[in-house]
Amino acid sequence: HVQLVESGGGSVQAGGSLTLSCEVSGSIDGTNCIGWFRQYPGKEREGVAAIVILGGTTYYDDSVTGRFTISQDNAENTLYLHMNSLKPEDTAMYYCAADVVPAGDWSATYLSPGTQVTVS
């Protein structure tokens, strides 16, 4: 089992920046892919960014490429999502995820409770 505890959501003006953090613990190894999803009200959850723990290969949804950066601190078992040039359409509930499959309709086995990001 994997535990995910996120922090860092909040409200920001358009064009601003925000960083989400997620502490990852439990049964997870270097081959695992961890990442971030978001969900708009009434819509399906969608993948935003993901990173393979060992090697650091990253994946991004086209809507955030060039604006969002995913990173990890393996010593602290912490995952980050650095969000720049935020737009109102980035407003959503954001989830940290583990055991991510970053292809097609992205999927994940484990998800955090979620944190709200609001851009106005």
Side-chain angles (χ1 to χ4, degrees), residues 7-66:
S7 60
S11 298
V12 63
Q13 291 189 336
S17 300
L18 204 60
T19 295
L20 304 182
S21 303
C22 178
E23 293 182 23
V24 184
S25 61
S27 301
I28 194 164
D29 62 35
T31 63
N32 205 290
C33 187
I34 53 178
W36 297 91
F37 284 65
R38 65 185 178 188
Q39 188 170 22
Y40 303 108
K43 298 292 182 67
E44 294 290 320
R45 194 174 295 125
E46 61 183 40
V48 174
I51 185 168
V52 178
I53 294 174
L54 188 61
T57 299
T58 57
Y59 304 85
Y60 294 96
D61 182 75
D62 289 344
S63 65
V64 305
T65 298

Side-chain angles (χ1 to χ4, degrees), residues 32-33 41 81 86 89 97 115:
N32 205 290
C33 187
L81 183 66
L86 282 161
E89 50 264 44
T115 187

Side-chain angles (χ1 to χ4, degrees), residues 71-103:
S71 66
Q72 58 183 343
D73 183 334
N74 291 339
E76 298 291 333
N77 296 323
T78 303
L79 176 70
Y80 300 98
L81 183 66
H82 308 280
M83 304 183 290
N84 298 314
S85 302
L86 282 161
K87 306 174 181 180
E89 50 264 44
D90 294 316
T91 295
M93 187 72 77
Y94 283 73
Y95 302 86
C96 177
D99 202 17
V100 175
V101 179

